[in-house]
Amino acid sequence: MRRRVTRFVAALAVAGVAVVEAAPPASQIGSWEAPRKWPVVGIHAMVLATGEVMHYAYEEARGPEENRVYYEGSRAKIWNPETDKFKDVSWESNVFCSGHSFLADGKIFVTGGIRQEGCPTEGREETFLFDPFTREWTAYEPMRLPRYYPTNLTLGDGSVMILSGNNSHCKLVSAMEIMEPGEGIRVVKEGKKVFKLYPRVHLLPDGRVVNVGVEPRTLVFDTTNPSEGWVGVARTNHGEYRWEGTSFQIPGDPFKVMICGGFETYEGDRPTDTCEVIDFSEKKPQWRYTAPMSQPRGHANAVLLPDGKVLVVGGGGHNLYDDPVRQAEIFDPETGRWSPAGLTRWGRMYHSTAVLIPDGRVISAGQDDVPGGASGAGAFAEFYRPPYLHRGKRPRIKQAVTTLEYGGEVQMKLKPGKQIEKVVLIRPSAVTHSVNSTQRYVPLEFELIKGARVTVYGPTNPNEAPPGYYMLFAVNRAGVPSEAVMVQVVPPAPVEEETP
């Protein structure tokens, strides 16, 4: 019957009769809500341990010659999804184009930013902490070197690796630094390496850190044996730079890393639609092409979803803001295929972000193509409802926990328990400039006890799930997730020895 309908539609088209095909249902492609006004340009986006979302940008004005003038401050707002209200948490220092990642206690560790006193992309050495519970910024110990466009990566022991960025002379920093909570910041001499700005790095389950771009040569740093430094392991098949490309670890298979899109030139020309995957569990890992995206794009953002798929949204075909790609799409790691995910109202290219929030939606925001984001894309946010939110009743977590120990177990109440297919942790996003090294997808083992009672087992490997806060989702057989609860993954409590 399907074939007959297709032939009939084709015959009408040949006869010159206009045919309007029905759009795929939302259960297949999801839906985009109407854009809503947003009081801050979402250049940096973090999902906090409280379940709230923080966006921050710079304080900006335009001079008579349309030159940007950066004030010494950062405009920051927190949005509460439960009350739908905003809280101003603007900060006196300019942390625009900083690095950021989460610490075990839920605080955000922010490194560098822009000073712009001597040269246009001059970095700053200051670091800061933001506490999501008190909503306060505090100054932390400065780095040894100023950095603008650095990348932070939280490691399995809770420390943070700091890479790249421009120094006070607008030159690339080669030194690696490590921040150890409670111990301060130190230089790791074995980690010396020049990377392009905002390197795309990921933590593997065995403790190695991999750099998968912007450069075509892939490098590995073994945190358990740092004396070897950065070691080359492979080159991409694309063989060109992926400026403003995106990368992520495959959900449920964190040894595999995927890279997509980007520009072949620093000026934002010659975008690619190609994607490649590498498996670092292999003895000699090699990049392999997978299915390309529907369109070439740079400046896109990739978001891990609770059903194990990956949403790619935004990006464009030229320069910072030209030829935007409004077609979002979803990658399915099980099939290796892409499927359409609807059209955004606004293009989202340079300085845009996208994050998963606890209710299962995705917020796409940012792009500063106008002064201060007063109009155009930067003044709006768009919410995406993935296909799973159009597939019937959602599971419910009726009784949850607030902490989950490594190797431990907890009991929860999930409804309907018999239909739960998986329980997953997703580490919240801290994203900017298409770089999101914080998000992680961690499947958990679980066991149905009786009725709605389920025993959930905590992760066992801190390299797969670094300590800190996660969104915990229960997903049913139809791929429909519950709303998430925020849980803190912690080491087991020390056992007190009895006094003889």
Side-chain angles (χ1 to χ4, degrees), residues 367-405:
Q367 179 162 310
D368 60 342
D369 54 337
V370 291
S375 61
F380 295 88
E382 295 180 75
F383 287 72
Y384 176 65
R385 300 176 62 84
Y388 52 63
L389 294 183
H390 300 276
R391 292 179 180 165
K393 195 172 181 180
R394 305 181 68 174
R396 286 187 300 149
I397 300 177
K398 294 195 66 178
Q399 180 185 18
V401 295
T402 57
T403 60
L404 190 59
E405 292 183 354

Short mmCIF file of all heavy atoms in Angstrom, two decimals, residues 367-405:
data_model
loop_
_atom_site.label_atom_id
_atom_site.label_comp_id
_atom_site.label_asym_id
_atom_site.label_seq_id
_atom_site.Cartn_x
_atom_site.Cartn_y
_atom_site.Cartn_z
N GLN A 367 24.48 33.32 20.04
CA GLN A 367 24.86 33.95 18.77
C GLN A 367 24.76 35.47 18.92
O GLN A 367 23.68 36.03 19.05
CB GLN A 367 24.06 33.50 17.56
CG GLN A 367 24.50 34.24 16.29
CD GLN A 367 24.08 33.56 15.00
OE1 GLN A 367 24.29 32.38 14.81
NE2 GLN A 367 23.49 34.31 14.10
N ASP A 368 25.93 36.11 18.89
CA ASP A 368 25.99 37.55 19.19
C ASP A 368 26.26 38.37 17.94
O ASP A 368 27.18 39.17 17.89
CB ASP A 368 27.09 37.82 20.22
CG ASP A 368 28.46 37.39 19.71
OD1 ASP A 368 28.52 36.61 18.76
OD2 ASP A 368 29.47 37.85 20.26
N ASP A 369 25.44 38.21 16.93
CA ASP A 369 25.67 38.90 15.67
C ASP A 369 25.16 40.33 15.67
O ASP A 369 25.21 41.00 14.65
CB ASP A 369 25.03 38.12 14.52
CG ASP A 369 23.55 37.84 14.76
OD1 ASP A 369 23.14 37.83 15.93
OD2 ASP A 369 22.83 37.60 13.78
N VAL A 370 24.66 40.79 16.78
CA VAL A 370 24.18 42.17 16.87
C VAL A 370 24.68 42.77 18.17
O VAL A 370 25.07 42.05 19.09
CB VAL A 370 22.64 42.24 16.83
CG1 VAL A 370 22.11 41.84 15.47
CG2 VAL A 370 22.04 41.34 17.90
N PRO A 371 24.70 44.09 18.30
CA PRO A 371 25.20 44.72 19.52
C PRO A 371 24.47 44.24 20.77
O PRO A 371 23.27 44.45 20.92
CB PRO A 371 24.95 46.21 19.29
CG PRO A 371 24.93 46.36 17.80
CD PRO A 371 24.33 45.08 17.28
N GLY A 372 25.20 43.55 21.64
CA GLY A 372 24.62 43.14 22.91
C GLY A 372 23.52 42.11 22.79
O GLY A 372 22.87 41.78 23.77
N GLY A 373 23.28 41.60 21.60
CA GLY A 373 22.21 40.62 21.43
C GLY A 373 20.83 41.24 21.62
O GLY A 373 19.89 40.58 22.03
N ALA A 374 20.69 42.54 21.35
CA ALA A 374 19.43 43.23 21.60
C ALA A 374 18.31 42.78 20.67
O ALA A 374 17.14 42.97 20.96
CB ALA A 374 19.63 44.74 21.48
N SER A 375 18.67 42.19 19.55
CA SER A 375 17.66 41.65 18.64
C SER A 375 18.30 40.49 17.91
O SER A 375 19.48 40.19 18.08
CB SER A 375 17.21 42.73 17.64
OG SER A 375 18.31 43.17 16.87
N GLY A 376 17.53 39.81 17.10
CA GLY A 376 18.10 38.66 16.41
C GLY A 376 18.24 37.46 17.33
O GLY A 376 17.66 37.40 18.42
N ALA A 377 19.03 36.48 16.88
CA ALA A 377 19.11 35.21 17.58
C ALA A 377 19.50 35.36 19.04
O ALA A 377 18.96 34.68 19.92
CB ALA A 377 20.10 34.29 16.86
N GLY A 378 20.49 36.23 19.33
CA GLY A 378 21.00 36.33 20.68
C GLY A 378 19.99 36.74 21.72
O GLY A 378 20.18 36.49 22.91
N ALA A 379 18.90 37.37 21.31
CA ALA A 379 17.89 37.83 22.26
C ALA A 379 16.85 36.77 22.57
O ALA A 379 15.93 37.01 23.35
CB ALA A 379 17.19 39.07 21.70
N PHE A 380 17.00 35.58 21.97
CA PHE A 380 16.01 34.52 22.13
C PHE A 380 16.67 33.20 22.49
O PHE A 380 17.83 32.96 22.18
CB PHE A 380 15.20 34.34 20.85
CG PHE A 380 14.36 35.52 20.47
CD1 PHE A 380 14.89 36.54 19.70
CD2 PHE A 380 13.04 35.62 20.89
CE1 PHE A 380 14.12 37.64 19.34
CE2 PHE A 380 12.26 36.71 20.54
CZ PHE A 380 12.81 37.73 19.76
N ALA A 381 15.90 32.35 23.14
CA ALA A 381 16.27 30.95 23.33
C ALA A 381 15.17 30.10 22.71
O ALA A 381 14.01 30.51 22.63
CB ALA A 381 16.42 30.62 24.81
N GLU A 382 15.55 28.92 22.25
CA GLU A 382 14.58 27.98 21.68
C GLU A 382 14.69 26.64 22.40
O GLU A 382 15.78 26.16 22.68
CB GLU A 382 14.85 27.80 20.18
CG GLU A 382 14.64 29.06 19.38
CD GLU A 382 14.92 28.86 17.89
OE1 GLU A 382 14.09 28.25 17.20
OE2 GLU A 382 15.98 29.33 17.43
N PHE A 383 13.55 26.07 22.70
CA PHE A 383 13.49 24.80 23.42
C PHE A 383 13.07 23.69 22.44
O PHE A 383 12.06 23.81 21.75
CB PHE A 383 12.46 24.88 24.55
CG PHE A 383 12.92 25.70 25.73
CD1 PHE A 383 13.00 27.08 25.65
CD2 PHE A 383 13.27 25.09 26.92
CE1 PHE A 383 13.42 27.85 26.72
CE2 PHE A 383 13.70 25.84 28.01
CZ PHE A 383 13.77 27.23 27.91
N TYR A 384 13.87 22.62 22.45
CA TYR A 384 13.58 21.46 21.60
C TYR A 384 13.03 20.33 22.45
O TYR A 384 13.60 19.99 23.50
CB TYR A 384 14.84 21.01 20.89
CG TYR A 384 14.67 19.76 20.05
CD1 TYR A 384 13.83 19.77 18.93
CD2 TYR A 384 15.34 18.58 20.36
CE1 TYR A 384 13.66 18.63 18.16
CE2 TYR A 384 15.19 17.44 19.58
CZ TYR A 384 14.35 17.47 18.48
OH TYR A 384 14.18 16.33 17.72
N ARG A 385 11.93 19.77 22.00
CA ARG A 385 11.33 18.60 22.63
C ARG A 385 11.65 17.39 21.75
O ARG A 385 11.05 17.23 20.68
CB ARG A 385 9.83 18.78 22.78
CG ARG A 385 9.42 19.99 23.62
CD ARG A 385 7.92 20.19 23.67
NE ARG A 385 7.24 19.07 24.29
CZ ARG A 385 7.08 18.89 25.59
NH1 ARG A 385 7.57 19.80 26.43
NH2 ARG A 385 6.45 17.85 26.06
N PRO A 386 12.60 16.55 22.15
CA PRO A 386 13.00 15.41 21.32
C PRO A 386 11.83 14.45 21.07
O PRO A 386 10.79 14.52 21.75
CB PRO A 386 14.10 14.74 22.16
CG PRO A 386 14.65 15.84 23.02
CD PRO A 386 13.45 16.68 23.35
N PRO A 387 11.99 13.57 20.09
CA PRO A 387 10.90 12.64 19.76
C PRO A 387 10.37 11.87 20.96
O PRO A 387 9.16 11.58 21.04
CB PRO A 387 11.54 11.70 18.74
CG PRO A 387 12.59 12.53 18.07
CD PRO A 387 13.13 13.41 19.16
N TYR A 388 11.24 11.54 21.92
CA TYR A 388 10.76 10.73 23.05
C TYR A 388 9.73 11.45 23.90
O TYR A 388 8.99 10.81 24.66
CB TYR A 388 11.94 10.24 23.91
CG TYR A 388 12.93 11.28 24.38
CD1 TYR A 388 12.57 12.32 25.23
CD2 TYR A 388 14.27 11.19 24.00
CE1 TYR A 388 13.49 13.25 25.68
CE2 TYR A 388 15.22 12.13 24.46
CZ TYR A 388 14.82 13.14 25.30
OH TYR A 388 15.74 14.06 25.74
N LEU A 389 9.64 12.78 23.81
CA LEU A 389 8.61 13.50 24.57
C LEU A 389 7.28 13.52 23.84
O LEU A 389 6.33 14.17 24.29
CB LEU A 389 9.08 14.93 24.87
CG LEU A 389 10.29 15.05 25.81
CD1 LEU A 389 10.62 16.50 26.08
CD2 LEU A 389 10.02 14.31 27.12
N HIS A 390 7.19 12.83 22.72
CA HIS A 390 5.94 12.72 21.96
C HIS A 390 5.53 11.26 21.79
O HIS A 390 4.82 10.92 20.85
CB HIS A 390 6.11 13.37 20.58
CG HIS A 390 6.47 14.83 20.63
ND1 HIS A 390 5.53 15.83 20.76
CD2 HIS A 390 7.68 15.46 20.59
CE1 HIS A 390 6.15 17.01 20.78
NE2 HIS A 390 7.44 16.81 20.68
N ARG A 391 5.99 10.41 22.69
CA ARG A 391 5.73 8.98 22.55
C ARG A 391 5.01 8.39 23.76
O ARG A 391 5.24 7.25 24.14
CB ARG A 391 7.05 8.24 22.32
CG ARG A 391 7.68 8.56 20.97
CD ARG A 391 8.99 7.84 20.80
NE ARG A 391 9.60 8.16 19.51
CZ ARG A 391 10.87 7.91 19.19
NH1 ARG A 391 11.66 7.31 20.09
NH2 ARG A 391 11.35 8.24 18.01
N GLY A 392 4.14 9.15 24.35
CA GLY A 392 3.33 8.60 25.41
C GLY A 392 3.81 8.97 26.80
O GLY A 392 4.68 9.82 27.00
N LYS A 393 3.23 8.29 27.78
CA LYS A 393 3.44 8.59 29.18
C LYS A 393 4.88 8.37 29.60
O LYS A 393 5.52 7.41 29.18
CB LYS A 393 2.51 7.72 30.03
CG LYS A 393 2.36 8.18 31.46
CD LYS A 393 1.28 7.38 32.16
CE LYS A 393 1.10 7.86 33.61
NZ LYS A 393 0.04 7.08 34.31
N ARG A 394 5.39 9.26 30.43
CA ARG A 394 6.77 9.17 30.88
C ARG A 394 6.87 8.38 32.18
O ARG A 394 5.96 8.40 33.02
CB ARG A 394 7.34 10.57 31.11
CG ARG A 394 7.23 11.50 29.94
CD ARG A 394 7.83 12.85 30.23
NE ARG A 394 9.28 12.77 30.39
CZ ARG A 394 10.08 13.83 30.53
NH1 ARG A 394 9.55 15.05 30.56
NH2 ARG A 394 11.37 13.68 30.65
N PRO A 395 7.98 7.66 32.37
CA PRO A 395 8.22 7.04 33.68
C PRO A 395 8.35 8.12 34.74
O PRO A 395 8.63 9.28 34.43
CB PRO A 395 9.54 6.29 33.48
CG PRO A 395 9.76 6.22 32.01
CD PRO A 395 9.06 7.40 31.42
N ARG A 396 8.20 7.71 35.98
CA ARG A 396 8.35 8.66 37.09
C ARG A 396 9.30 8.10 38.12
O ARG A 396 9.23 6.91 38.46
CB ARG A 396 6.99 8.95 37.75
CG ARG A 396 6.06 9.85 36.93
CD ARG A 396 4.84 10.21 37.75
NE ARG A 396 4.10 9.01 38.15
CZ ARG A 396 3.40 8.91 39.28
NH1 ARG A 396 3.38 9.91 40.14
NH2 ARG A 396 2.74 7.80 39.57
N ILE A 397 10.17 8.94 38.61
CA ILE A 397 11.01 8.58 39.75
C ILE A 397 10.29 9.11 40.98
O ILE A 397 10.30 10.31 41.25
CB ILE A 397 12.42 9.18 39.61
CG1 ILE A 397 13.10 8.68 38.34
CG2 ILE A 397 13.26 8.84 40.84
CD1 ILE A 397 14.47 9.27 38.08
N LYS A 398 9.63 8.21 41.72
CA LYS A 398 8.81 8.63 42.84
C LYS A 398 9.62 8.83 44.11
O LYS A 398 9.30 9.67 44.95
CB LYS A 398 7.71 7.60 43.10
CG LYS A 398 6.69 7.48 41.98
CD LYS A 398 5.45 6.75 42.43
CE LYS A 398 4.69 7.52 43.48
NZ LYS A 398 3.44 6.83 43.89
N GLN A 399 10.65 8.02 44.26
CA GLN A 399 11.50 8.15 45.44
C GLN A 399 12.94 8.08 44.97
O GLN A 399 13.36 7.10 44.37
CB GLN A 399 11.23 7.04 46.45
CG GLN A 399 12.10 7.13 47.70
CD GLN A 399 11.88 5.94 48.61
OE1 GLN A 399 11.38 4.92 48.19
NE2 GLN A 399 12.27 6.09 49.86
N ALA A 400 13.68 9.13 45.17
CA ALA A 400 15.03 9.21 44.63
C ALA A 400 16.05 9.34 45.75
O ALA A 400 15.71 9.38 46.94
CB ALA A 400 15.14 10.39 43.67
N VAL A 401 17.29 9.42 45.35
CA VAL A 401 18.39 9.60 46.29
C VAL A 401 19.14 10.87 45.90
O VAL A 401 18.98 11.38 44.78
CB VAL A 401 19.35 8.40 46.26
CG1 VAL A 401 18.66 7.15 46.75
CG2 VAL A 401 19.89 8.17 44.84
N THR A 402 19.94 11.37 46.80
CA THR A 402 20.72 12.58 46.49
C THR A 402 22.19 12.27 46.28
O THR A 402 22.90 13.08 45.70
CB THR A 402 20.58 13.61 47.62
OG1 THR A 402 20.99 13.01 48.86
CG2 THR A 402 19.14 14.08 47.75
N THR A 403 22.65 11.11 46.77
CA THR A 403 24.04 10.72 46.57
C THR A 403 24.11 9.27 46.09
O THR A 403 23.23 8.46 46.39
CB THR A 403 24.87 10.85 47.86
OG1 THR A 403 24.31 10.02 48.87
CG2 THR A 403 24.93 12.29 48.32
N LEU A 404 25.17 8.98 45.34
CA LEU A 404 25.38 7.64 44.80
C LEU A 404 26.87 7.35 44.91
O LEU A 404 27.69 8.07 44.32
CB LEU A 404 24.92 7.60 43.34
CG LEU A 404 24.83 6.24 42.65
CD1 LEU A 404 23.87 5.31 43.38
CD2 LEU A 404 24.37 6.43 41.20
N GLU A 405 27.23 6.33 45.66
CA GLU A 405 28.63 6.02 45.87
C GLU A 405 29.18 5.14 44.75
O GLU A 405 28.45 4.33 44.17
CB GLU A 405 28.83 5.30 47.21
CG GLU A 405 28.57 6.15 48.42
CD GLU A 405 28.86 5.40 49.72
OE1 GLU A 405 29.16 4.18 49.64
OE2 GLU A 405 28.79 6.02 50.80
#
